[in-house]
Amino acid sequence: NATGAECNSWVTHPWIYEERLHPTNWVADQSIRYLKTRDHTKPFFLMSSFVRPHQPLDPPQSYYDMYKDKDLRKPVSGDWDDIEKTKQYGLITDSIYGCSDETMRHDAMAGYYGSISHVDHQIGRIITTLREEGVYDDTIIVFVSDHGEMLFDHSLWRKVFPYEGSTHIPFIMHIGKHVADILPHKVNGIAELRDVMPSLLDLCDLTIPESVDGISLKENILTNQQAIRTYLHGEHSFHSSLSNHYIVTETDKYIWYSETGKQQYFDLVKDPTETHNAIHEEAYQQRIAELRQYLIDELKDREEGYSDGTQLIIGKTPQQMIKHPK
C-alpha cells in the first residue's frame, strides 16, 4: 500500500516510484533470474505469482494513462441489482457494493485495466526469456487466477459473490511443441483450480495421488475433448448474511445464500452476464430442482448442517474450518 491505495479499495493511485521497483516487475525479474541461473541439467518448475491486478490499483503511470481517458465499458446491470446499497455504502472505498461516483468508478476501471496490461507485458518478458534459453518448446505454461473481480457489475465490487465477474477466471495453457504438437483450441467444459496439479502431473507422465480432488485435463488438452465434469460446487462465507453456495454448469447456474435462503438461477447461454434472475420462471423449475439437488447432495453431512440429504436448511452458521470428507 505504498502509494496510499488500500488492498481492497476502488481508489486508484499510480505507482509513485520507478517502474522497476513495482512488485509486478519484481516477480518478473526474479522469475527471469531463476530461469537464467537454474541448474540447466535438470527439469524445472517455476511459479510466478503476481499480486496485481488485485488491489491496490497502483499501475505505473504509463499503464494508467493507457486507459484513463478511454471510453470504458459500462458496468453490467440486471433486474436483481440492489442499487440502494450502492447509494448507501458507495463512498466507503472498499465497499462490496461498489462506488456511487461515476468518475471514481471510471478511474478504478482504468487502474484495473492498466494493472492487467502491466502484468501482461511482464509475463511477455518471462516468455521471451524461455525462448532465449531455448526451452520454450519444451515447457508447459499455465495462466490462472485465484478469483476475478466484480468491477462494479451489478453494483458490486471485489470477489465474495458467486457471479461470473468473480468466479469465471482465466485458465490458459501453452503446451510446448516438443511436449505435444497440438493446435490451439478452446475447451468449454467446467474446469477449476484443483485441476492444475493433476493436469501437470499427467502431462509429465507422473503419478497423480489418489487424495487429489481435481481432474486431469490431459485428454481435453491433447484431443480437444470437451467434457470435464457435470457441474462445479463453489462457496464463499462472508459477513452481512452474504455466505453463499452455487452450482455452475456449462450452461447455467443455481445460487443459494445459506443464511437467508435467497435463491437465484441464471441461464448462462441466453444470459451470460446474469442480468435476469429466472428463479421463479415456470420453464426453468425442473432444471432448478435438478441443480438444487446437486447442492443438497454436496452439502449432506457437512457439520454446519446445511443439508439433511433431502433439503437445504437455512440459517446455519458457516464454519471457519471444516473436516475433510475423506
Side-chain angles (χ1 to χ4, degrees):
N1 299 347
T3 58
E6 191 265 337
C7 66
N8 278 316
S9 172
W10 40 255
V11 172
T12 299
H13 190 287
W15 185 248
I16 60 177
Y17 307 108
E18 296 178 60
E19 182 179 327
R20 67 182 180 84
L21 301 176
H22 196 284
T24 297
N25 290 64
W26 183 86
V27 172
D29 289 344
Q30 296 303 308
S31 298
I32 291 169
R33 179 177 179 273
Y34 167 77
L35 289 172
K36 290 186 174 182
T37 61
R38 64 187 174 84
D39 183 345
H40 286 65
T41 67
K42 297 180 179 179
F44 70 89
F45 178 89
L46 169 65
M47 179 176 174
S48 303
S49 184
F50 295 91
V51 174
R52 311 307 189 272
H54 194 291
Q55 301 88 341
L57 301 176
D58 62 351
Q61 186 71 50
S62 61
Y63 285 94
Y64 177 63
D65 290 347
M66 291 169 64
Y67 299 98
K68 69 180 180 68
D69 297 322
K70 289 284 199 316
D71 183 16
L72 304 178
R73 71 167 184 89
K74 299 297 182 184
V76 173
S77 59
D79 58 17
W80 53 272
D81 301 359
D82 191 346
I83 59 175
E84 293 303 316
K85 286 284 200 320
T86 303
K87 292 177 181 178
Q88 182 178 0
Y89 299 108
L91 292 179
I92 299 174
T93 59
D94 64 349
S95 170
I96 57 175
Y97 298 110
C99 174
S100 57
D101 184 274
E102 184 175 3
T103 299
M104 288 191 283
R105 285 199 301 270
H106 181 279
D107 289 348
M109 294 176 75
Y112 190 71
Y113 294 154
S115 295
I116 290 173
S117 291
H118 186 204
V119 170
D120 189 36
H121 290 175
Q122 294 304 307
I123 291 174
R125 292 179 58 211
I126 298 172
I127 292 174
T128 296
T129 302
L130 289 172
R131 292 184 182 277
E132 292 173 347
E133 291 291 301
V135 294
Y136 178 75
D137 291 331
D138 301 308
T139 302
I140 299 170
I141 302 172
V142 184
F143 178 82
V144 293
S145 174
D146 59 338
H147 60 80
E149 170 57 59
M150 289 306 298
L151 204 62
F152 308 121
D153 284 352
H154 303 294
S155 297
L156 301 173
W157 176 250
R158 293 165 55 181
K159 48 180 181 181
V160 179
F161 299 98
Y163 309 115
E164 291 295 275
S166 174
T167 64
H168 195 160
I169 60 172
F171 196 135
I172 303 170
M173 297 187 72
H174 162 80
I175 310 297
K177 65 181 182 181
H178 294 162
V179 179
D181 194 6
I182 59 175
L183 293 175
H185 59 273
K186 180 180 179 181
V187 175
N188 293 314
I190 298 291
E192 61 162 316
L193 291 176
R194 288 182 296 184
D195 299 338
V196 172
M197 176 185 174
S199 299
L200 291 178
L201 291 176
D202 207 6
L203 286 164
C204 295
D205 296 323
L206 298 173
T207 301
I208 302 171
E210 293 184 4
S211 58
V212 170
D213 291 324
I215 297 173
S216 171
L217 305 178
K218 182 176 180 178
E219 293 305 310
N220 304 92
I221 295 164
L222 300 185
T223 68
N224 202 16
Q225 175 181 305
Q226 292 294 309
I228 300 175
R229 51 174 57 82
T230 304
Y231 67 87
L232 178 65
H233 166 225
E235 63 181 293
H236 197 301
S237 62
F238 202 66
H239 60 67
S240 305
S241 299
L242 289 173
S243 296
N244 59 78
H245 293 260
Y246 64 93
I247 296 291
V248 64
T249 75
E250 294 178 33
T251 59
D252 53 0
K253 182 188 294 181
Y254 168 77
I255 297 167
W256 179 62
Y257 284 86
S258 60
E259 293 168 273
T260 64
K262 175 183 175 181
Q263 301 176 92
Q264 292 176 301
Y265 174 79
F266 299 103
D267 183 332
L268 298 178
V269 175
K270 296 180 180 178
D271 184 22
T273 54
E274 301 166 315
T275 61
H276 174 59
N277 178 17
I279 193 67
H280 297 301
E281 290 195 12
E282 184 62 32
Y284 291 111
Q285 292 309 302
Q286 182 175 345
R287 178 59 173 172
I288 291 169
E290 182 180 357
L291 299 188
R292 186 187 293 117
Q293 188 59 53
Y294 287 150
L295 185 56
I296 290 171
D297 293 340
E298 286 285 341
L299 296 177
K300 181 183 177 183
D301 299 328
R302 281 266 293 260
E303 54 262 41
E304 301 97 331
Y306 291 136
S307 165
D308 62 4
T310 63
Q311 63 181 338
L312 296 172
I313 301 173
I314 301 168
K316 299 298 182 179
T317 303
Q319 302 290 318
Q320 291 187 342
M321 183 71 69
I322 61 173
K323 298 175 182 177
H324 195 285
K326 295 181 181 179

